[in-house]
Amino acid sequence: GEGGRYERHRDGYPSAGDEDAEGPQWRRVTIILYLNPDWADEYGGSLRVYPPADEASPVDVAPVGGRCVVFMAGAVDHEVLPTFRPRAALTAWLS
């Protein structure tokens, strides 16, 4: 709530998200399950996903309850837009 957000980033760790980097990549896949019943667009809090190499426009995914988002942690830039209601999500990373 109150306009909180996460700036644009990748979840890949510790190789700074470079899928081709040498060394371990502890977070290879990000999985987010949203737990917000009756979420309305005016609450904000969408996940903005940027296509690789800015080949297309970003995609906004509203944090609607039951929605699941899966992407390559070190390859996909994303951010959480300002949110104006408390929101809940279960996030897991696979290596």
Side-chain angles (χ1 to χ4, degrees), residues 57-89:
S57 299
V59 175
D60 291 347
V61 180
V64 175
R67 181 169 287 162
C68 185
V69 180
V70 180
F71 55 89
M72 297 303 296
V76 178
D77 284 358
H78 58 286
E79 65 180 305
V80 176
L81 300 178
T83 182
F84 303 99
R85 293 278 193 280
R87 73 186 198 54

Side-chain angles (χ1 to χ4, degrees), residues 9-30:
H9 66 283
R10 292 183 184 182
D11 291 338
Y13 177 83
S15 63
D18 183 354
E19 289 294 315
D20 296 322
E22 293 183 26
Q25 177 97 31
W26 300 113
R27 294 179 177 176
R28 297 193 69 76
V29 177
T30 297

Side-chain angles (χ1 to χ4, degrees), residues 10-52:
R10 292 183 184 182
D11 291 338
Y13 177 83
S15 63
D18 183 354
E19 289 294 315
D20 296 322
E22 293 183 26
Q25 177 97 31
W26 300 113
R27 294 179 177 176
R28 297 193 69 76
V29 177
T30 297
I31 304 168
I32 306 169
L33 175 63
Y34 292 107
L35 308 171
N36 308 294
D38 304 318
W39 192 262
D41 286 340
E42 62 264 22
Y43 301 162
S46 289
L47 175 72
R48 177 164 287 168
V49 179
Y50 293 88

